[in-house]
Amino acid sequence: NMLCLNTPAWTLSSLCIVGFAIWGFMYYYQERFLKLFMPISLIMGYGFWRHLDSASTQVWIGFTAFGTFRTWLVICLSYYVVRMAQYLKNIRLKPLGIWLLTAAEVTLQMWSLWMIFNRDTRFAQWLTTLLMMLALTIALSGQSMLVRWLNKSRIVDYLGKLSMSVFLVHVPVLQYYQWKVDIRNASAVELIPLFAAIAAVSVCHYHITNWLIQITPKVLAGLRSVCVE
């Protein structure tokens, strides 16, 4: 099934579509959009996802309308994360408050990971997004001791930049590896080449993409100087 060769790739087109739509709403109807339409769309979207069992099984729904709608919901949630983080950032916390906030962030992250690996249901999936939303709010506020420590690490910074490339390339590598090895019954040793291949392809994808972004303006400027007086 070639359509499923790289399923995460739909994210790029969905981000463009949804980003452009939200930009338009914010530009022309900002107050009504933020105070009315965005909250209503989140409430209805959560209910729709929770009760539409065919969303992830029917190819047309999964790859077009519903994939884009999920992106809409996540971007709307991201807006509230940023706003709450800005509010939390302006609160002056005592050492005890900082420690409690750090403990809350770690607890939310661990809880989310536990949910991901142990509760694969529609309800659990969206509950996990809410838990991660709170954890990201604390992280972006800069009030957590964990974030202050992680921000000093160049390795963590690089892994963060690499994460989008991992998301985009891991499925094709996984599909190829499945032709060779039964992943579900594979041992940990047999999976080492898979993770190594994903890491290598992701690093190449990240650096090639950055290189293309850097040279594109120069190439366009060169073409313009040759073609335009």
Side-chain angles (χ1 to χ4, degrees):
N1 188 352
M2 294 303 294
L3 188 60
C4 296
L5 182 60
N6 191 12
T7 50
W10 63 262
T11 305
L12 297 179
S13 58
S14 293
L15 286 172
C16 291
I17 295 169
V18 173
F20 184 77
I22 290 180
W23 175 85
F25 283 120
M26 292 287 285
Y27 186 83
Y28 290 104
Y29 311 103
Q30 180 172 345
E31 186 174 356
R32 275 181 277 181
F33 177 69
L34 294 178
K35 295 183 178 179
L36 180 64
F37 187 69
M38 183 185 284
I40 290 177
S41 70
L42 283 172
I43 294 172
M44 294 182 64
Y46 264 62
F48 185 57
W49 168 262
R50 173 64 181 82
H51 296 288
L52 185 62
D53 293 332
S54 62
S56 61
T57 57
Q58 295 182 12
V59 172
W60 176 253
I61 297 177
F63 274 84
T64 54
F66 203 80
T68 302
F69 186 58
R70 282 190 295 175
T71 305
W72 170 280
L73 296 177
V74 172
I75 291 181
C76 289
L77 286 176
S78 301
Y79 169 81
Y80 288 113
V81 167
V82 173
R83 291 297 300 270
M84 290 190 297
Q86 290 173 342
Y87 176 80
L88 184 59
K89 183 178 181 179
N90 294 325
I91 299 176
R92 298 183 63 181
L93 296 175
K94 295 182 178 181
L96 178 59
I98 295 174
W99 276 103
L100 291 175
L101 204 61
T102 303
E105 180 188 4
V106 174
T107 302
L108 288 167
Q109 291 176 353
M110 293 299 102
W111 191 3
S112 299
L113 288 174
W114 183 85
M115 292 283 288
I116 290 170
F117 289 108
N118 295 281
R119 292 291 184 270
D120 188 18
T121 64
R122 288 299 178 87
F123 175 78
Q125 289 169 359
W126 280 109
L127 176 58
T128 304
T129 63
L130 295 178
L131 297 175
M132 289 303 300
M133 177 182 174
L134 295 175
L136 286 171
T137 298
I138 298 173
L140 291 176
S141 71
Q143 298 273 38
S144 167
M145 294 183 64
L146 177 64
V147 172
R148 296 176 186 177
W149 176 77
L150 292 176
N151 284 340
K152 298 178 181 178
S153 172
R154 293 183 179 180
I155 296 176
V156 173
D157 181 66
Y158 180 76
L159 291 176
K161 294 176 180 178
L162 196 66
S163 60
M164 187 61 176
S165 294
V166 175
F167 175 70
L168 290 175
V169 307
H170 79 280
V171 170
V173 177
L174 181 62
Q175 294 280 18
Y176 175 79
Y177 200 74
Q178 283 179 330
W179 295 341
K180 308 292 183 180
V181 178
D182 182 6
I183 293 179
R184 294 188 177 183
N185 297 318
S187 64
V189 175
E190 291 176 319
L191 292 178
I192 291 176
L194 171 63
F195 291 116
I198 291 174
V201 175
S202 300
V203 170
C204 292
H205 179 274
Y206 170 73
H207 288 286
I208 291 173
T209 302
N210 278 353
W211 176 74
L212 290 173
I213 292 173
Q214 291 174 3
I215 69 168
T216 297
K218 298 178 181 178
V219 173
L220 293 177
L223 290 174
R224 183 176 180 180
S225 63
V226 172
C227 301
V228 180
E229 295 184 358

